Amino acid sequence: MRSSPRPFAALLAALALTAGLSLIGTPAVAHSDEAPAATEASDVSIAADTYTWKNARIDGGGFVPGIVFNRSEKNLAYARTDIGGAYRWDQSGKQWKPLLDWVDWDRWGWTGVVSLASDTVDPDNVYAAVGTYTNSWDPTDGAVLRSSDRGASWKAATLPFKLGGNMPGRGMGERLAVDPNKNSVLYLGAPSGNGLWRSTDAGVSWSEVTAFPNPGNYAQDPSDTSGYGNDNQGIVWVTFDERSGSAGSATQDIYVGVADKENTVYRSTDGGATWSRIPGQPTGYLAHKGVLDSATGHLYLTLSDTGGPYDGGKGRIWRYDTASGAWQDVSPVAEADAYYGFSGLSVDRQKPGTLMATAYSSWWPDTQIFRSTDSGATWTQAWDYTGYPNRSNRYTLDVSSVPWLSWGASPAPPETAPKLGWMTEALEIDPFDSDRMMYGTGATVYGTEDLTSWDSGGTFKITPMVKGIEETAVNDLASPPSGAPLLSALGDIGGFRHTDLDAVPDLMYTSPNLDSTTSLDFAESSPGTVVRVGNSDAAPHIGFSTDNGANWFQGSEPSGVTGGGTVAAAADGSGFVWSPEGAGVHHTTGFGTSWTASTGIPAGATVESDRKNPEKFYGFEAGTFYVSTDGGATFTAEATGLPAEGNVRFQALPGTEGDIWLAGGSDTGAYGLWRSTDSGATFTKSAGVEQADSVGFGKAAPGASYRTVFVSAKIGGVRGIFRSTDAGASWTRINDDAHQWGWTGAAITGDPRVYGRVYVSTNGRGIQVGETSDSGGGGTDPGTDPGTDPGPEQPADAACAVTYAVTNQWPGGFQADVTVTNTGDAAYNGWKLGWSFPGGQQISQIWNASHRQDGVKVTVTDAGWNGTVAPGSSAGFGFTGSWAGSNAEPAAFTLDGQACTVG
């Protein structure tokens, strides 16, 4: 249930402000230009079982540094993320489709997208420059991916250097550009002093433009020796002046932005044969963006004194007249008043002279967006002070579709909740619709469809336009036997209690708010008891819940704690063991009012609990397994010879004392999957599992006597997500090549209530949920799994009664109230009510519950606070809906799969 992330995974979560719906249409599949490696022969079933995949919806959760509209086809747009791949806009559903889920384990770095380019000559063509880090953290070189079917399939041209989708300066761009007149010609600005590159065969091959004179010289932190902050940010954008070419002939005038404060803009007037610094340009700044308004001949630059995306002090906006060669400072504020850099930049292709820009690093009190309708001569801004600290906004911001964007905050003016944004380096006006604009933030994509109300003195409405983008980095997952089906531990936004996998949660964990949750656990026999730990600027780093994560309270902590580490809850919730960063392993009884150092176990060890014996806890560090039989007070070293290198994750089997599975290792040492049935005294390596990185358990298969085991592993020469229903004797791959999501090694768990369901962590593509169509699966039978303790306390017979009443009805619409009564002798600890509408009715709004509707089938889930229903008590909810033809009441209801009486 917890993870000690690989170094690169931890860095991704820390350095990117990051990470649901099913794929729309055909999933993307990669086709490498190089022949794939041969697959080793094996008895394992490497053909994927029939699984469907979707995200547990969160909507957003990470930095979106780039949005690209195609300029020749309406409604064709793409978005890039720093670690979570690329997406294409689906206008029919007003949502985004993921395009790079096929990226595999070995090339995980290709999930970082440094630039996108959409071909205006042939809109079917799209290109992505991929690679996450330019230093040693990313083992693979970068590549330019090309697709001739809008991202449904791809081919790759591997570059002789790395690209940095998650490096400093990633909000600048776009580095990749297609010639708008001769689309076989592309340019790519490279980092790390690698210069400017060009392809003349539509991205198949690339070569350096040796005539380009300046590879850049700016680094965020030259003193950093890691290769991260001290990397030369290089060439950061390429812009064509399409007026200087004609269809089929290469564009002659090309502008290039360089990370060099004294020489930031270059131009070629002969199709890239020669280049020169444009005289008279501004100095002392980096040009984050360069956008040409071809109708007016103006090239606009947004400038900052740093490369972003977090920092930025001074900034300016300059305009270059390409006809006269004149430069002019058209900044919306005086230089002395600019405490942020400018970055986001777009021109209205329908209204020459109209442009917008963002103050990307204005963290407090809010970001700012500027708009000019006269080529930058005058500006208005999204909000103004009306007398400090009060402000007047030209916009309304409705986050009801993604309510957690408020962060549950109630700040004092001039701050607001939710904020207009931060890290706003991407802003684009739809080239076909002056009313539509989208912009990226550190957590979401916002947009409007009535932008021109700005100019008429009215207010325009901003809403999240992020559905489908799932960008969270997942550190840990837990699926309790009752209550919410899933609890998540996420980088940057903490994590959520997921009561409905298809609905966006209302709010992340609070009290305390943790920047990133590193580990969480629940008490196996008392799943209302939950603990989580994580990173924050100051104490506390730990929180407890007694209602399955619905509400939290802060815990105390040992002295010296600097980070979350890992945490474990006793099987009955009577105590906890915590291995935080900055302090050694500690234990406590109760809810952590005081902590006592554990003995016999080294600092930094990963800790877990036995899922049967509340006095037994386990630890692992550097190849040695540790066991405590006194609630974590003392540990004894037991098994050795386990992986001494790499990351190791282990889990104890629910319902059985001392049954432990351990996954991990490294390519240079022991690597695989091990099992112990004697509480860690000895371990046996699983034959045939070449590598394994995370392990978890789900509901046993029908007729099976052992819980289903899930692993992220390499078996039979194939990397993937595997399932075993016979305690590891055989394995079946359950994902496929279209669903790989890069690195999946942080956490995996099955659902103890639904056979076959699995939750998979990713590092930038959120929480993946797999469902089997196996005939033995389906349903949410909460009864006892073979060989395990009982699950949630739900009645086996018809221990429920439902009343359904239409309380109001009008032409085409109605309101109904529903009451669920517990007629059994055990409490409901979370409930899910199902029915089918006989007349095709559709629910439009619901209160005191959440719902999912598929055709006539409806599933309603408790709202959390009303999930516990004592015997003889009731829970109620209401909804409004639509009907046509008839509005007959449902004839039958089920509660968690069991039939209810109706009356």
Side-chain angles (χ1 to χ4, degrees):
M1 269 163 245
R2 62 210 30 83
S3 62
S4 300
R6 288 188 177 192
F8 75 78
L11 287 161
L12 289 174
L15 296 171
L17 194 61
T18 63
L21 72 166
S22 299
L23 290 175
I24 306 161
T26 305
V29 178
H31 299 282
S32 174
D33 290 344
E34 300 175 357
T39 300
E40 299 174 23
S42 173
D43 292 334
V44 69
S45 172
I46 59 174
D49 190 13
T50 308
Y51 259 67
T52 57
W53 294 93
K54 64 181 180 181
N55 276 103
R57 277 191 67 187
I58 295 169
D59 285 15
F63 182 33
V64 179
I67 299 169
V68 174
F69 278 89
N70 186 279
R71 289 177 56 189
S72 62
E73 182 176 316
K74 189 175 183 180
N75 294 323
L76 180 56
Y78 297 88
R80 62 180 171 94
T81 68
D82 48 9
I83 64 171
Y87 295 80
R88 186 182 70 239
W89 178 250
D90 169 45
Q91 179 63 20
S92 63
K94 292 193 174 182
Q95 57 192 358
W96 297 90
K97 174 184 175 178
L99 301 178
L100 300 183
D101 283 356
W102 54 266
V103 173
D104 58 31
W105 178 276
D106 291 331
R107 294 176 293 187
W108 61 264
W110 287 9
T111 60
V113 183
V114 72
S115 191
L116 285 171
S118 182
D119 187 348
T120 58
V121 176
D122 184 352
D124 285 341
N125 295 332
V126 62
Y127 300 86
V130 297
T132 300
Y133 294 109
T134 60
N135 63 1
S136 61
W137 301 341
D138 190 338
T140 56
D141 283 334
V144 176
L145 308 179
R146 63 188 187 278
S147 172
S148 58
D149 51 17
R150 305 175 186 231
S153 62
W154 297 87
K155 293 184 178 181
T158 303
L159 299 167
F161 50 83
K162 296 180 180 182
L163 295 177
N166 198 36
M167 293 292 288
R170 59 191 178 274
M172 296 193 281
E174 293 291 319
R175 294 174 181 259
L176 184 63
V178 185
D179 190 319
N181 290 301
K182 188 175 183 179
N183 65 340
S184 60
V185 175
L186 293 89
Y187 283 85
L188 171 67
S192 312
N194 289 304
L196 181 67
W197 287 66
R198 177 169 53 209
S199 171
T200 58
D201 54 9
V204 175
S205 61
W206 292 82
S207 59
E208 185 176 5
V209 181
T210 56
F212 194 82
N214 187 352
N217 60 17
Y218 174 80
Q220 180 190 66
D221 180 7
S223 66
D224 179 14
T225 59
S226 71
Y228 183 78
N230 61 335
D231 184 54
N232 175 5
Q233 295 181 15
I235 297 175
V236 297
W237 54 262
V238 179
T239 295
F240 292 93
D241 186 346
E242 63 264 33
R243 302 171 302 168
S244 62
S246 59
S249 299
T251 301
Q252 297 300 294
D253 293 355
I254 311 168
Y255 298 85
V256 171
V258 180
D260 178 342
K261 290 187 178 182
E262 301 305 311
N263 311 279
T264 196
V265 188
Y266 286 77
R267 177 178 60 185
S268 174
T269 59
D270 53 12
T274 62
W275 301 84
S276 61
R277 177 188 186 275
I278 303 178
Q281 66 181 267
T283 58
Y285 295 98
L286 304 174
H288 277 225
K289 300 282 195 301
V291 175
L292 186 91
D293 187 344
S294 57
T296 63
H298 290 146
L299 174 72
Y300 296 95
L301 305 180
T302 43
L303 300 135
S304 174
D305 58 359
T306 62
Y310 309 110
D311 52 2
K314 296 300 181 181
R316 310 304 293 150
I317 300 176
W318 279 68
R319 184 182 73 202
Y320 176 66
D321 189 325
T322 59
S324 67
W327 286 96
Q328 185 174 351
D329 185 341
V330 294
S331 302
V333 297
E335 185 171 19
D337 296 330
Y339 58 91
Y340 39 73
F342 293 98
S343 183
L345 175 64
S346 184
V347 299
D348 188 337
R349 303 294 176 181
Q350 301 294 317
K351 296 185 175 183
T354 294
L355 67 151
M356 298 180 70
T358 66
Y360 76 93
S361 68
S362 180
W363 294 78
W364 188 94
D366 208 343
T367 199
Q368 186 61 274
I369 301 175
F370 302 91
R371 181 173 172 88
S372 172
T373 57
D374 53 11
S375 300
T378 61
W379 298 81
T380 52
Q381 50 196 47
W383 59 270
D384 296 278
Y385 284 114
T386 58
Y388 187 85
N390 300 312
R391 56 190 257 192
S392 173
N393 299 333
R394 294 178 184 271
Y395 64 90
T396 61
L397 180 52
D398 178 5
V399 298
S400 57
S401 63
V402 190
W404 61 262
L405 285 168
S406 72
W407 252 260
S410 298
E415 286 191 278
T416 62
K419 284 192 172 188
L420 187 59
W422 60 92
M423 295 168 65
T424 49
E425 294 222 61
L427 181 147
E428 292 296 325
I429 302 170
D430 186 333
F432 292 92
D433 184 355
S434 297
D435 270 319
R436 181 160 70 175
M437 175 269 289
M438 297 181 184
Y439 67 97
T441 78
T444 192
V445 175
Y446 281 127
T448 182
E449 294 183 329
D450 59 354
L451 178 61
T452 57
S453 295
W454 182 318
D455 303 325
S456 60
T459 58
F460 61 98
K461 182 179 181 180
I462 296 175
T463 58
M465 290 186 177
V466 72
K467 183 179 180 183
I469 294 180
E470 295 289 345
E471 202 189 341
T472 49
V474 184
N475 295 327
D476 203 358
L477 297 169
S479 184
S482 63
L486 180 66
L487 305 172
S488 63
L490 306 177
D492 300 310
I493 60 173
F496 297 91
R497 181 177 189 258
H498 303 264
T499 59
D500 184 341
L501 301 175
D502 297 310
V504 177
D506 288 338
L507 194 63
M508 65 278 289
Y509 305 132
T510 59
S511 299
N513 289 83
L514 301 175
D515 298 336
S516 294
T517 300
T518 57
S519 174
L520 58 81
D521 196 11
F522 63 89
E524 187 68 39
S525 62
S526 181
T529 300
V530 187
V531 60
R532 60 184 167 93
V533 295
N535 301 329
S536 62
D537 291 336
H541 296 85
I542 187 168
F544 296 95
S545 172
T546 58
D547 57 6
N548 193 242
N551 298 282
W552 296 84
F553 55 92
Q554 299 176 356
S556 65
E557 60 186 53
S559 61
V561 172
T562 59
T566 59
V567 70
D572 62 356
S574 59
F576 303 89
V577 172
W578 185 14
S579 178
E581 293 180 17
V585 177
H586 285 68
H587 67 99
T588 186
T589 56
F591 292 102
T593 54
S594 63
W595 293 87
T596 303
S598 303
T599 61
I601 186 171
T606 300
V607 295
E608 293 281 0
S609 66
D610 190 87
R611 311 311 285 181
K612 182 72 172 180
N613 184 343
E615 291 298 312
K616 189 171 287 187
F617 288 84
Y618 305 112
F620 178 87
E621 174 70 6
T624 300
F625 199 82
Y626 298 85
V627 180
S628 171
T629 58
D630 55 7
T634 60
F635 282 82
T636 301
E638 296 288 347
T640 59
L642 296 167
E645 300 175 344
N647 293 289
V648 173
R649 294 153 182 81
F650 65 93
Q651 297 290 319
L653 185 76
T656 303
E657 183 175 349
D659 194 341
I660 304 158
W661 293 69
L662 182 147
S666 70
D667 292 328
T668 58
Y671 204 171
L673 181 68
W674 287 260
R675 182 185 175 194
S676 172
T677 57
D678 55 10
S679 298
T682 61
F683 280 85
T684 302
K685 193 173 188 297
S686 296
V689 181
E690 298 140 56
Q691 301 175 358
D693 290 84
S694 58
V695 60
F697 310 103
K699 183 179 174 66
S705 60
Y706 198 85
R707 294 243 183 178
T708 301
V709 184
F710 295 97
V711 291
S712 174
K714 184 179 182 180
I715 301 175
V718 177
R719 255 287 170 186
I721 307 301
F722 291 86
R723 181 188 73 190
S724 176
T725 59
D726 53 12
S730 62
W731 297 93
T732 298
R733 187 187 182 200
I734 59 174
N735 71 319
D736 53 50
D737 288 349
H739 302 89
Q740 299 191 77
W741 317 291
W743 191 73
T744 56
I748 190 171
T749 185
D751 191 310
R753 288 172 275 184
V754 183
Y755 165 66
R757 180 184 289 170
V758 62
Y759 306 104
V760 179
S761 70
T762 74
N763 202 60
R765 272 289 287 129
I767 304 164
Q768 298 295 329
V769 182
E771 303 272 11
T772 183
S773 59
D774 189 322
S775 60
T780 55
D781 175 16
T784 303
D785 289 346
T788 68
D789 279 350
E793 297 179 358
Q794 297 283 8
D797 299 320
C800 51
V802 176
T803 59
Y804 177 104
V806 175
T807 57
N808 196 7
Q809 183 169 305
W810 56 93
F814 72 105
Q815 178 177 328
D817 288 340
V818 182
T819 302
V820 181
T821 301
N822 185 348
T823 59
D825 56 6
Y828 302 160
N829 295 318
W831 50 266
K832 186 175 291 186
L833 186 71
W835 73 82
S836 293
F837 276 124
Q841 298 97 319
Q842 293 287 318
I843 294 177
S844 56
Q845 184 177 8
I846 194 167
W847 50 92
N848 297 334
S850 59
H851 84 289
R852 178 176 60 188
Q853 184 166 356
D854 183 6
V856 299
K857 295 182 179 180
V858 177
T859 302
V860 175
T861 305
D862 66 86
W865 58 267
N866 59 356
T868 301
V869 183
S873 299
S874 301
F877 60 91
F879 64 87
T880 56
S882 60
W883 62 278
S886 68
N887 190 26
E889 297 183 2
F893 295 85
T894 61
L895 188 76
D896 296 307
Q898 303 294 330
C900 299
T901 58
V902 182

